[in-house]
Amino acid sequence: MENSIFCIKKLFDQIKLQYTEPYLKEKLLTHPEPDSLLAISDTLAEYKVESLALQLGEDKLDQLPLPCVVQISQNPYPYFTCLSQVTEDWVEYLDEKGKLIKVSRKEFVTQWTGATLVVEKGEHSGEPGYTKRRKEQLIYQSLLILTGAVGLASIIGDLIGLDYNTSFSFGAISLFILKLAGLGISAILLWSEVDKNNAAITQFCSGGESVDCNSVIDSFSIGGLISLGNVAFSYFAASTTLLLVSSFSSSALGLLALLSYFSLAIIPFSLYYQGVKLKKWCRLCLWISGILVLELAVSHFLLPDLAWPKLGELPTFSFIFLASVLAWISLKPYLIAQKELYTTKSKLAKVLSNKELFDYFLSTSRQITFNPEGLGIFLKGPKAKYHVLKVCNPYCGPCARTHPLLEQLYEAGNIDLQIVFVPGGGDEIRIKTIRHLMGIASKSNIEQTRRALDDWYLPEQKDYDVFAAKYPLNGELAKQESNIQAMLVWAEKEKISHTPTIFINGYELPSAYGVEDLKYVLQ
């Protein structure tokens, strides 16, 4: 699945299409078949990027519009990648780890299965809601940068305030750097417990049969609950925090020097456990052992004659250590669940995309009693197999969210789309909005009607006056009273209790399905 993410990201970069990674991952990884070419094609459709799947031979390689998606045959499984350049002698594409590589044309042809997806960026291509999502990202990143800057300023202030001899200052700074390095490496250890298949960690921790970080990490824990990574991270987190809180006091450094002697006892056990018992080595664990040795050396040679720890410093260290252990124990299940969420959604989507199952549930659902023909707005699909009726309120948030999903189905030609409006409260502004939308549709200009629906439903803020100024009407508004009354009467007879209410071929959409699931079954 990571190959497909690398592929689409490179593709978007090449065609200069803006995107946010969380949205891209959500669309691709929750697809019923996330490793397939169909998943890539459907994800591109979410961005309104046209695509066409082809099976080609070597003779068509020079004619391919670039960039495009190709399938590479490689053990144990083939993967999809982004082909970016083709010349007479070489070809450029992403390897299975997302790295851009150049290989000879002859070598590429032997690996290329011929499966190809050509793409075309259109005038309206883009990520739905990109502006809002990107704004949120920028605010979050700004807060992170600000927090880091304030923290860095505080650390620099503490380091500048060291007025002891040169050896003491150098030793304190060296110890702090080692603590930060240990904190970073142990954080990677913790993350490997959550994301065991992370490409970067796997690549770093691989090196023959005797190197396997996951085997070492999974083989030992305290009481089956506290992992080695948790202990290491909590130790470095407590040490770093104590240094900052105490402003690198001699007594705090003294406590950490004593603890470095005790922590040294872990190293022989770690080496014996990995080399003799497991016969597997964890590079991250070895790095942690190396940092512990360096800490002892710094404390012994660069920080002699330190003060004894103050009465409250050991409890402070212990509190931070235990709090970090408990925090990870509490946080880890949530992070694992988040990591598995895409897989769970993908499996659910696979069930919900089963056509026979959908048809069964649909046939047992509530059926329309009174004929809605002639009501509301009707958009005829060129090759529609399904009739979708949406009962909605122009000021309903969920109705607005379903609009682009149904519009996508209509644009693909899969459905006839009928929209029946109910005011949902009956106040004048809602009635005026319905009257205006109906008036636009009465001109029988389908493209204008679709644009008007987009201009109404897609903006977050609904402003009737702005909308009415953009789509001025004359006598069409006065002719809509009977249509509005007919929709109200029909909705009352059908006992429409909420919006949006969706009907497929006369049957209400089963409660187990959302509108977003229809793209998999209405094909």
Side-chain angles (χ1 to χ4, degrees), residues 35-36 128 247 307 315 467 483:
D35 290 316
S36 67
S247 298
F467 178 76
N483 294 329

Side-chain angles (χ1 to χ4, degrees), residues 47 138 142 155 210 223 228 251 279 328 400 402 442 502:
Y47 288 80
L138 289 174
S142 299
I155 293 170
S210 62
L228 290 174
S251 58
K279 295 182 172 57
W328 179 248
T402 63
S442 69
I502 308 293

